[in-house]
Amino acid sequence: MTYSTIDIFKLLPKTNCKECRTQTCFAFAALIFKGEREISECPYVDKEVTDLFKGTPKRTDSIESDREKFMESLKQRITHTDLESRAIPTGGIYAKNRLTIKIMGKDFSVDATGKLFSDIHVNPWIAVPFLTYVLETKGQAPTGTWVPLRELEGGKDWYRLFGQTCEKPLKQLADNYPALFEDMISLFNGKPVENHYQSDISLVLHPLPRLPMLICYWKPEEELSSELNLFFDRNAEENLNIERIYTLATGLITMFKKIALKHGIATSCPAG
Ligand code: SF4
């Protein structure tokens, strides 16, 4: 059996303890996927799991080609889907043989062959969740109740990684790039909302029409450092599975980092 990075990651403890000399369990999973490390190098993995990997051939293809194959499989599923019938559940519009959905105020379209169209660069980290949403969303309206990722059903396995790869870099960006929230409002249709949880800034983005995301930022104050938390609607997983919520959030943070870099703002994390 061939395991993807995500499959491998799910088998790891997700504590990011670094005992394997890697920053995060996810990075370690990616190295195992590439055949550069062995899962047995994590001291906390059970023998049954390490046995699963015995005799697994080393991969010769890259994460990129794996991602491309996955994209192709999604596009194939699109060719068997009646896009017009997906307009209502997705909150999109079907016209001229294309289904168009707003991603943070920008039009993203797909046609019956699975071809994507957008005025902005189609980042694969956004394209995969977009296609998954078109195929799988149940079209549930948001409940209006915000919860952190760990309180979503599937979020328990993801919140540590989410904190490291999404909330922490976004907080660093907000600290170093005060115009970040203005950009979110002017470029990405962000909506300032009443300040939740006594934050200094509360802003709602719509990475997908039925998947709102609340960003709360607390500015640094005397001895207290800044804080940033992301919240999702209680029924977010009805509209997108947890892996894709994570992928989408990671893609957005990557995009914000690139915008900051364009403005000459140094970010302490790679632009991805
Ligand atoms: S893979 Fe294992 S050793 Fe490495 S960070 Fe995760 S828990 Fe720690």
Side-chain angles (χ1 to χ4, degrees):
M1 175 172 172
T2 310
Y3 294 91
S4 68
T5 300
I6 295 294
D7 293 332
I8 300 166
F9 172 66
K10 284 179 179 169
L11 296 169
L12 297 174
K14 306 174 200 71
T15 56
N16 299 331
C17 72
K18 303 187 180 68
E19 285 186 44
C20 57
R21 294 169 285 110
T22 309
Q23 284 302 310
T24 63
C25 297
F26 193 79
F28 184 63
L31 292 173
I32 297 168
F33 174 79
K34 287 197 275 181
E36 293 175 16
R37 302 289 294 275
E38 301 281 343
I39 197 164
S40 54
E41 291 175 64
C42 169
Y44 302 103
V45 170
D46 294 338
K47 185 171 176 305
E48 296 86 71
V49 173
T50 55
D51 285 350
L52 286 175
F53 282 75
K54 280 195 181 137
T56 304
K58 295 258 186 286
R59 291 191 64 99
T60 51
D61 46 355
S62 64
I63 290 175
E64 284 70 26
S65 77
D66 195 57
R67 194 190 298 146
E68 273 167 27
K69 279 184 203 153
F70 186 64
M71 272 290 289
E72 276 314 305
S73 73
L74 289 174
K75 287 181 177 180
Q76 271 302 315
R77 286 174 63 195
I78 289 283
T79 64
H80 300 294
T81 301
D82 171 14
L83 287 181
E84 191 168 6
S85 72
R86 300 301 292 158
I88 290 177
T90 54
I93 292 172
Y94 185 79
K96 296 183 182 163
N97 300 320
R98 291 182 189 175
L99 175 62
T100 302
I101 292 171
K102 295 263 184 221
I103 294 188
M104 300 206 305
K106 312 285 183 206
D107 282 350
F108 260 71
S109 306
V110 61
D111 70 10
T113 68
K115 191 168 177 203
L116 298 172
F117 305 85
S118 175
D119 292 341
I120 58 171
H121 175 63
V122 181
N123 173 341
W125 297 103
I126 292 177
V128 169
F130 167 76
L131 289 175
T132 308
Y133 177 78
V134 168
L135 291 163
E136 297 178 2
T137 179
K138 292 182 185 158
Q140 298 285 313
T143 61
T145 303
W146 297 106
V147 294
L149 190 93
R150 67 176 177 276
E151 287 184 26
L152 294 178
E153 180 63 28
K156 293 161 198 71
D157 285 344
W158 290 86
Y159 79 92
R160 282 175 186 272
L161 182 68
F162 185 76
Q164 285 296 316
T165 54
C166 294
E167 289 174 316
K168 189 173 166 193
L170 193 57
K171 178 189 94 76
Q172 288 167 342
L173 260 189
D175 291 346
N176 297 331
Y177 180 33
L180 175 69
F181 297 108
E182 283 165 32
D183 279 358
M184 286 180 182
I185 293 166
S186 61
L187 299 177
F188 300 114
N189 215 22
K191 301 266 185 276
V193 291
E194 66 180 83
N195 289 1
H196 285 67
Y197 314 109
Q198 298 179 324
S199 60
D200 295 307
I201 294 171
S202 293
L203 195 77
V204 173
L205 291 175
H206 279 82
L208 288 164
R210 303 201 194 284
L211 193 86
M213 187 169 89
L214 171 67
I215 302 171
C216 291
Y217 178 66
W218 292 261
K219 293 177 182 167
E221 214 177 286
E222 294 175 5
E223 301 294 295
L224 292 173
S225 58
S226 63
E227 249 190 81
L228 186 145
N229 288 129
L230 298 175
F231 299 87
F232 295 90
D233 192 83
R234 159 78 57 209
N235 74 1
E237 285 170 290
E238 297 292 318
N239 292 318
L240 195 65
N241 69 54
I242 194 79
E243 282 185 37
R244 297 299 154 240
I245 291 175
Y246 172 78
T247 310
L248 185 58
T250 314
L252 298 182
I253 301 329
T254 302
M255 198 166 68
F256 293 139
K257 279 188 220 163
K258 285 187 173 160
I259 290 170
L261 282 170
K262 265 193 202 157
H263 287 81
I265 309 295
T267 63
S268 49
C269 312

